[in-house]
Amino acid sequence: MSDQQEQPIFSIEKLYVKDLSLEVPNAPQVYLEAQQPEVDMQLHTQTQQLDDGYFESVLTVTVTAKLGEKTVFLAEASQGGIFQIRNIPAEDLEPILGMACPNILFPYVREVISDVVTRAGFPPVILAPINFEQLYMQRQTQAASQDAPATVQ
């Protein structure tokens, strides 16, 4: 019985849209534009411990489409998930929260963004896959270089 308690546990308890926002500040004139807007995407991840063995991970995606300085639309969705993570070594917890959880959440937030943009009357925005492992490693490298003491020459 004690062997079962020591087995690593990683499970999805709940997936949900935590926040959703859409702005089309220049409607209806923007619908008459023939040019293709320039689309920019920003990602943000956030995690917090909810209870013993339970963590919330939130992946926020902000998509902004512009024609020059004029905003065509701004769509932002925060996809949340509650994950049960138990019997995982402490040094492995941060990578799980920083890579595995956002990887699970991304397809859901991608669908929400595409749907809300389409409902606003625009062609769907299909977000390219994201390599969360690479993003995590970049953040770790940046954090390590910021924490390193400055060298004097």
Side-chain angles (χ1 to χ4, degrees):
M1 186 116 178
S2 64
D3 285 344
Q4 274 188 328
Q5 290 175 345
E6 297 303 319
Q7 290 294 318
I9 296 172
F10 178 82
S11 66
I12 302 168
E13 298 298 312
K14 186 74 172 170
L15 297 172
Y16 52 93
V17 175
K18 186 166 184 162
D19 191 25
L20 179 60
S21 150
L22 173 72
E23 296 176 31
V24 186
N26 294 297
Q29 293 82 5
V30 76
Y31 293 107
L32 302 176
E33 296 285 347
Q35 298 174 329
Q36 286 290 87
E38 192 174 306
V39 177
D40 177 60
M41 179 188 72
Q42 300 292 318
L43 288 172
H44 176 72
T45 58
Q46 182 179 345
T47 60
Q48 68 172 331
Q49 186 164 358
L50 301 174
D51 200 357
D52 184 38
Y54 290 92
F55 297 83
E56 178 190 47
S57 181
V58 178
L59 175 61
T60 301
V61 174
T62 305
V63 177
T64 308
K66 289 189 169 199
L67 282 171
E69 292 299 312
K70 187 189 305 181
T71 299
V72 175
F73 66 81
L74 186 142
E76 184 173 81
S78 295
Q79 181 71 41
I82 298 174
F83 299 88
Q84 182 180 179
I85 307 171
R86 296 182 185 277
N87 304 322
I88 303 286
E91 63 272 9
D92 293 339
L93 186 59
E94 190 177 327
I96 289 170
L97 293 170
M99 292 184 286
C101 294
N103 265 323
I104 290 167
L105 297 174
F106 186 73
Y108 295 94
V109 76
R110 178 173 50 196
E111 181 181 353
V112 169
I113 290 287
S114 181
D115 185 53
V116 75
V117 168
T118 302
R119 289 177 183 266
F122 300 102
V125 172
I126 308 299
L127 303 177
I130 303 294
N131 184 337
F132 287 99
E133 290 82 6
Q134 183 180 7
L135 288 175
Y136 177 80
M137 295 304 199
Q138 286 173 348
R139 282 195 307 263
Q140 294 299 100
T141 303
Q142 286 173 347
S145 67
Q146 288 176 354
D147 291 343
T151 57
V152 178
Q153 294 183 351

